[in-house]
Amino acid sequence: MSFVRIELRSKNPIRIYDSLNKLHDLISKNRIDIVHCHHRMAALFMALYKLRWRMPYIWTLHLAPIPCDPIHRWMTHYGSKAIAVSYEVGELLRDDIKVPDADIAYVLNGIDESQLKPASIEEKVKTRERFEIAVDKVVIALHSRIAPVKNHEAVVEAVGMLTPEERKRLVIVCSGKQCGDYYEKIQKRIEELRIGDSFRFCGWVTAREILSSADALMLPSLQEGFGLNCIEAMFMRIPVLRTQTAGYHDMRDYCVGMEDASSETVLKYIRRVLLGDALSQERTERAEAFVHEKCTVKVMTEHTVAVYKDVLKKQ
């Protein structure tokens, strides 16, 4: 496998022409049969490419919603197929970008589950020791980058609204790079509310590291495409609570859906975790079966290759 950097964001006609020629050189030397785009600009470049050279391509949309005004729709080119990573992404492709149903394929995101077996009690204790979390605490993981779209702010405000007795029982453990304006904003608000004891920021860690410390995963995002952290938790038999953003429809029978992303709603579901009524063993078992059937790299690859074959068969 090789990686070649080609500029796809420049609006300079000379740079665009140069990028198209580099792309053609890459395609020709490697005898590529089909191009798979994962960004709207990449698909636009392939549309320009096809004005001169013949090459089938497809586009995967990984996020919903995205801008869908007339100008953005005019600039959206999906080639032979548009792949949706979730039901809601498919709805956006059909209803807002106006992609015909026949041109939409659904391929759920998949991950390498080999390192995501359920953690033993001993591992859970060791991980909590590493993060300086007492064994008797209720731990909710926020496993994502620390950015406004992930909505850590609502969790901070919700923890601030808990009673002192509730906060004594709870720790929120957060992965993600510890820098940037939003991170600083979150830290300042935690300090203002004097709730620092209720949070642990562990930086970039593996899914296994953070989830092996947790009793539940919370995804309070304002926007998603699917939610890889949710299926990582499901592989490890960790209950999932998430907003009903894109990806929720596909996993709604296997997680707890939060009706909105407000701090008041997050507070309600944190309290449900503390009470234990959001931690259904039966739901967790069904979630584990779901991800093993639908969300492995093997299954995702098989479904993606099937799209390639279908497109190439029609050329």
Side-chain angles (χ1 to χ4, degrees):
M1 181 182 293
S2 62
F3 295 88
V4 178
R5 184 179 181 86
I6 298 176
E7 174 58 59
L8 298 180
R9 293 179 180 271
S10 176
K11 298 177 183 178
N12 184 311
I14 296 175
R15 294 293 299 278
I16 292 173
Y17 179 79
D18 181 57
S19 293
L20 288 171
N21 280 293
K22 286 181 178 177
L23 186 60
H24 181 61
D25 185 55
L26 175 68
I27 289 171
S28 299
K29 285 184 177 179
N30 291 278
R31 298 181 181 180
I32 291 170
D33 295 312
I34 188 169
V35 173
H36 191 162
C37 305
H38 293 271
H39 189 278
R40 183 148 52 181
M41 280 301 295
L44 177 58
F45 258 78
M46 284 307 302
L48 295 173
Y49 182 94
K50 284 197 72 175
L51 294 175
R52 183 175 176 185
W53 297 288
R54 178 179 173 82
M55 173 55 59
Y57 70 95
I58 63 175
W59 171 52
T60 292
L61 178 58
H62 292 273
L63 184 67
I66 61 172
C68 295
D69 55 84
I71 292 177
H72 279 91
R73 284 204 305 271
W74 177 72
M75 293 179 64
T76 300
H77 298 266
Y78 60 88
S80 300
K81 283 282 185 180
I83 292 181
V85 299
S86 66
Y87 175 87
E88 293 88 348
V89 170
E91 282 190 320
L92 183 136
L93 285 169
R94 183 188 65 236
D95 299 338
D96 298 308
I97 301 182
K98 309 303 181 184
V99 178
D101 275 328
D103 289 347
I104 300 173
Y106 291 84
V107 179
L108 297 185
N109 281 328
I111 59 173
D112 178 5
E113 79 280 15
S114 61
Q115 301 301 313
L116 294 172
K117 294 178 174 60
S120 65
I121 294 175
E122 293 78 10
E123 183 181 1
K124 186 171 184 177
V125 169
K126 287 182 179 179
T127 307
R128 289 194 175 195
E129 287 177 354
R130 176 183 166 192
F131 296 151
E132 298 181 348
I133 301 171
V135 174
D136 62 343
K137 298 287 187 180
V138 175
V139 177
I140 297 175
L142 301 182
H143 180 41
S144 68
R145 70 186 190 277
I146 301 174
V149 71
K150 297 302 182 180
N151 201 25
H152 292 68
E153 193 170 2
V155 178
V156 171
E157 295 298 330
V159 173
M161 289 186 278
L162 291 170
T163 66
E165 290 74 22
E166 289 171 323
R167 277 199 298 275
K168 286 179 182 178
R169 298 179 54 215
L170 176 72
V171 170
I172 307 292
V173 59
C174 307
S175 63
K177 196 172 182 179
Q178 295 170 256
C179 66
D181 293 341
Y182 188 67
Y183 173 75
E184 295 300 331
K185 179 181 180 181
I186 292 300
Q187 292 299 317
K188 181 179 179 182
R189 187 58 178 149
I190 289 172
E191 184 178 347
E192 289 172 350
L193 294 171
R194 298 181 181 179
I195 55 174
D197 288 346
S198 297
F199 286 86
R200 301 289 186 278
F201 289 84
C202 51
W204 283 116
V205 294
T206 67
R208 180 166 198 86
E209 287 174 297
I210 187 169
L211 293 173
S212 62
S213 74
D215 296 299
L217 170 82
M218 181 172 281
L219 179 66
S221 294
L222 304 173
Q223 188 179 18
E224 281 293 333
F226 183 66
L228 284 175
N229 52 0
C230 295
I231 61 175
E232 288 171 333
M234 290 175 183
F235 274 114
M236 291 189 63
R237 299 174 64 91
I238 302 296
V240 173
L241 302 91
R242 59 162 295 169
T243 44
Q244 297 179 31
T245 48
Y248 172 71
H249 182 276
D250 299 288
M251 58 181 77
R252 62 184 176 179
D253 294 331
Y254 315 108
C255 66
V256 175
M258 301 191 294
E259 52 269 26
D260 59 59
S262 68
S263 54
E264 290 78 13
T265 297
V266 171
L267 171 65
K268 178 173 76 174
Y269 284 95
I270 287 176
R271 282 181 166 148
R272 284 189 59 182
V273 174
L274 288 171
L275 290 171
D277 68 351
L279 309 180
S280 164
Q281 180 71 17
E282 188 268 339
R283 187 193 299 115
T284 301
E285 290 174 356
R286 285 191 288 110
E288 185 184 25
F290 160 70
V291 292
H292 276 285
E293 179 184 357
K294 303 281 190 179
C295 300
T296 65
V297 168
K298 181 177 184 292
V299 171
M300 179 182 67
T301 302
E302 288 172 349
H303 290 171
T304 303
V305 170
V307 176
Y308 296 162
K309 289 181 177 178
D310 180 59
V311 169
L312 291 171
K313 184 174 62 177
K314 296 174 181 177
Q315 295 304 302

